[in-house]
Amino acid sequence: MWHIIITSLPEMISAMLQYTIPLAIISFIFGLILAVLTALIKFIQPSENKLVRYPWLVLRAIANFYVWLFRSTPLLVQLFIIFFGLPSAGIELAPFLAAVIGFSLNTGAYASETIRSALMSVPQDQWYAAYTLNFTTRQTLMKIVLPQAVRIALPPLSNSFIGLVKDTSLASSITILEMFQVSQQITAKNYQPLLMYSLAAFLYAVICTLLTFLQHYLERRTSRYVKGSEA
Amino acid sequence: MITLKNVVKTYDDKTVLKDLSVDFPDGKTTVILGPSGSGKSTLLRSLDLLVRPESGTIDFGDISLDYSKPVSKKQSFDIRKKTSMVFQNWNLFPNLTVLQNVTTAPITVLKRPKKQTEQEARQYLAQVGLAEYADRYPSQLSGGQQQRVSICRAVAMNPEYVLLDEPTSALDPELETQVLLILEDLSKMGQSMILVTHNMEFARSVADKIIFVEDGDILFDGTPDEFFNHPTTRIKDFLSGITFNDTEK
Ligand SMILES: Nc1ncnc2c1ncn2[C@@H]1O[C@H](COP(=O)(O)OP(=O)(O)OP(=O)(O)O)[C@@H](O)[C@H]1O
Ligand SMILES: [Mg+2]
């Protein structure tokens, strides 16, 4: 048994480092950017100025549609449409790029709701206090509201990230040789499904455990100001 | 001087400020009194545009503004620059240290130099007895201490008027006294203040002018002496109600 593990481990770790982890990290970064933009578009009330108001309402409609679309359809189906479907419409994407696009859009849709709820959880009084001090909306967001929202959004965002790491296994279905795909290939040769899939599961668990530590570290850092936290 | 004329504010179908006209003199402390729900906070918040009345005008030094017309960013900036609000629940920014709570607005909004602003802020904090708390977070302070910080935050913007909405209502008597002493000092220094309070003793000692609001109307506008020593029947009832004097009820 150890022999099998030791011989297949390098291949699996290499797939992990080459595809699983980069896919997860890159998609999460883009997803997060999308999520923040989407959340802000939905959260911020447009000013009365018509030149700002109408474009903003259009943006908001787009944001709503985007979140609805990606939360209402399975991730696997989204990946299939992007990779296998779009070529019929003349858009051909490399597997890795297709996967990054799919994962980013999907993560962005879910995380945008996380961030929006974190923004909403900052009391309205914080805005009033900022406005009486003549902060602009942007300054209030950057200096007061976002720092507080980040702390609240961290645990659910960590959920999204950990979920994404595991969801990268779906990339195998669009021809990417990520870790799970490699474990399948090795199984096809050595007929050890229990061992190989357990090994894959173990490696996913290792990544996710490290992420949990990262989450705890970030939580401590962003909670310095909270009562009862020692810092 | 701030002059409000014919101010009307309605929520849904309830008129909270009924064609109200009043002025707040410079360098004086004006105390707004009145029963709960009478419109005191609404009146105070109209002054720095946290509340937007439907009609009426405000004259504030060189600024004149018609509430029924759109207010430009510049107008609202200028009005808010002349005022600072102290809230009942102080509303400090929990993610910033005490010092940053006081300095962030002067530095970002007024573009004051950082070093000098921090020095001044430390002086304000020292004046309210919180010099050694500068680098703590608000959550590590008591309510009374937080309210003192919020007074520093308001004063650090060098406003013409400090607006205070029941600044001590959320504090126990001991903490309340700490805050009241500071406000008394400010008042003596000639800082223009407009203060909503339910503390009659304090109102009596600090007010240069008293406004009594009920149901969105101003029932009294005059000196503390008149208010406390020659009250109308309604004011007598109000004062006795607030001191729990059951026999007079
Ligand atoms: N945002 C709002 N929406 C609807 N009604 C409101 C709103 N704010 C205040 N009101 C109503 O307006 C009236 C006056 O409220 P306001 O807060 O000005 O009273 P107040 O005199 O400050 O009372 P208190 O002493 O309890 O603070 C109340 O009847 C209140 O219910
Ligand atoms: Mg009030």
Side-chain angles (χ1 to χ4, degrees):
Chain A
M1 179 182 97
W2 289 110
H3 174 72
I4 297 172
I5 293 178
I6 288 166
T7 48
S8 44
L9 207 51
E11 230 181 307
M12 291 186 61
I13 289 182
S14 133
M16 173 172 106
L17 295 178
Q18 202 181 342
Y19 291 111
T20 302
I21 290 179
L23 260 183
I25 292 179
I26 297 172
S27 305
F28 192 70
I29 291 171
F30 282 119
L32 209 53
I33 295 170
L34 257 177
V36 171
L37 291 178
T38 308
L40 287 176
I41 288 168
K42 289 174 114 183
F43 178 74
I44 295 174
Q45 296 301 325
S47 71
E48 289 158 34
N49 183 342
K50 289 199 174 74
L51 283 175
V52 183
R53 187 176 181 82
Y54 291 120
W56 193 262
L57 293 180
V58 172
L59 273 181
R60 188 177 280 183
I62 295 171
N64 283 331
F65 175 74
Y66 156 62
V67 173
W68 168 79
L69 185 67
F70 279 85
R71 292 205 308 173
S72 317
T73 53
L75 175 55
L76 188 57
V77 175
Q78 293 162 13
L79 290 173
F80 269 52
I81 291 178
I82 293 169
F83 184 68
F84 296 116
L86 286 185
S88 327
I91 304 172
E92 240 169 286
L93 299 166
F96 191 84
L97 183 58
V100 166
I101 292 174
F103 289 131
S104 302
L105 288 170
N106 189 275
T107 305
Y110 281 95
S112 73
E113 288 295 278
T114 300
I115 293 170
R116 193 168 67 89
S117 72
L119 289 170
M120 287 192 299
S121 76
V122 176
Q124 187 64 34
D125 281 346
Q126 293 283 301
W127 287 91
Y128 288 143
Y131 282 153
T132 61
L133 292 166
N134 257 329
F135 283 110
T136 61
T137 301
R138 186 206 191 93
Q139 289 165 338
T140 310
L141 270 173
M142 297 309 291
K143 301 209 177 263
I144 312 297
V145 174
L146 277 176
Q148 294 180 50
V150 164
R151 186 182 79 80
I152 294 159
L154 251 176
L157 282 182
S158 303
N159 267 351
S160 299
F161 196 8
I162 287 172
L164 176 59
V165 168
K166 294 178 293 180
D167 282 346
T168 56
S169 58
L170 293 176
S172 61
S173 62
I174 58 169
T175 76
I176 291 180
L177 284 173
E178 47 68 54
M179 189 163 71
F180 181 57
Q181 177 74 359
V182 169
S183 72
Q184 281 177 299
Q185 289 179 351
I186 300 175
T187 307
K189 283 184 233 150
N190 68 8
Y191 305 108
Q192 295 280 353
L194 177 62
L195 191 58
M196 292 316 301
Y197 296 146
S198 301
L199 187 58
F202 172 76
L203 290 174
Y204 280 113
V206 169
I207 307 177
C208 294
T209 307
L210 292 177
L211 285 178
T212 308
F213 289 141
L214 177 67
Q215 174 187 349
H216 291 326
Y217 167 75
L218 290 175
E219 276 182 27
R220 270 199 307 278
R221 279 211 52 151
T222 52
S223 298
R224 270 178 306 191
Y225 60 82
V226 180
K227 201 169 199 139
S229 81
E230 302 290 328
Chain B
M1 174 120 112
I2 308 179
T3 306
L4 290 180
K5 282 208 189 93
N6 307 107
V7 174
V8 178
K9 173 68 193 173
T10 314
Y11 284 119
D12 304 322
D13 48 2
K14 186 169 187 286
T15 307
V16 179
L17 300 180
K18 296 174 182 162
D19 196 25
L20 194 147
S21 299
V22 62
D23 49 46
F24 302 96
D26 262 343
K28 298 275 186 323
T29 299
T30 305
V31 172
I32 304 176
L33 301 173
S36 188
S38 56
K40 304 182 298 294
S41 297
T42 308
L43 172 59
L44 198 68
R45 286 170 171 236
S46 302
L47 295 175
D48 74 348
L49 306 178
L50 277 186
V51 162
R52 278 286 301 279
E54 286 81 46
S55 63
T57 59
I58 174 169
D59 280 294
F60 194 159
D62 48 346
I63 304 173
S64 294
L65 204 140
D66 187 335
Y67 283 122
S68 62
K69 304 230 171 83
V71 175
S72 73
K73 280 220 164 91
K74 168 141 190 359
Q75 284 173 317
S76 114
F77 185 93
D78 289 344
I79 283 228
R80 286 176 178 163
K81 190 159 178 251
K82 289 165 173 280
T83 58
S84 280
M85 181 76 85
V86 172
F87 297 88
Q88 180 173 354
N89 295 309
W90 38 91
N91 299 347
L92 291 180
F93 304 124
N95 56 312
L96 302 178
T97 64
V98 165
L99 186 71
Q100 290 168 334
N101 262 281
V102 182
T103 58
T104 303
I107 292 171
T108 6
V109 175
L110 304 178
K111 313 279 180 237
R112 295 241 182 89
K114 185 161 183 248
K115 266 245 168 69
Q116 191 192 335
T117 310
E118 285 182 351
Q119 249 169 23
E120 286 168 13
R122 283 184 195 279
Q123 279 167 18
Y124 291 130
L125 289 172
Q127 278 168 28
V128 300
L130 294 174
E132 66 274 37
Y133 291 82
D135 299 314
R136 301 218 197 160
Y137 286 100
S139 65
Q140 298 165 317
L141 272 60
S142 74
Q145 292 170 329
Q146 292 193 52
Q147 189 61 295
R148 285 185 270 160
V149 175
S150 103
I151 292 168
C152 292
R153 177 176 75 175
V155 170
M157 291 296 277
N158 288 330
E160 289 180 24
Y161 280 73
V162 179
L163 316 177
L164 306 104
D165 195 352
E166 301 192 33
T168 60
S169 294
L171 302 174
D172 69 42
E174 204 173 338
L175 297 181
E176 176 171 26
T177 310
Q178 301 171 347
V179 173
L180 293 181
L181 286 173
I182 288 157
L183 296 180
E184 200 167 26
D185 281 350
L186 263 184
S187 170
K188 279 189 193 135
M189 279 157 49
Q191 169 71 54
S192 313
M193 295 203 286
I194 304 173
L195 168 80
V196 176
T197 183
H198 288 296
N199 186 323
M200 290 307 128
E201 233 173 295
F202 183 61
R204 191 199 283 258
S205 81
V206 82
D208 298 301
K209 166 172 175 147
I210 288 196
I211 292 166
F212 181 76
V213 184
E214 178 152 50
D215 276 338
D217 271 327
I218 291 182
L219 295 196
F220 177 92
D221 179 345
T223 64
D225 176 59
E226 251 178 286
F227 186 83
F228 288 105
N229 301 330
H230 313 282
T232 62
T233 323
R234 172 61 193 119
I235 292 170
K236 219 182 257 170
D237 284 350
F238 174 75
L239 290 174
S240 62
I242 228 158
T243 53
F244 292 102
N245 195 335
D246 289 34
T247 50
E248 280 192 37
K249 261 199 172 168

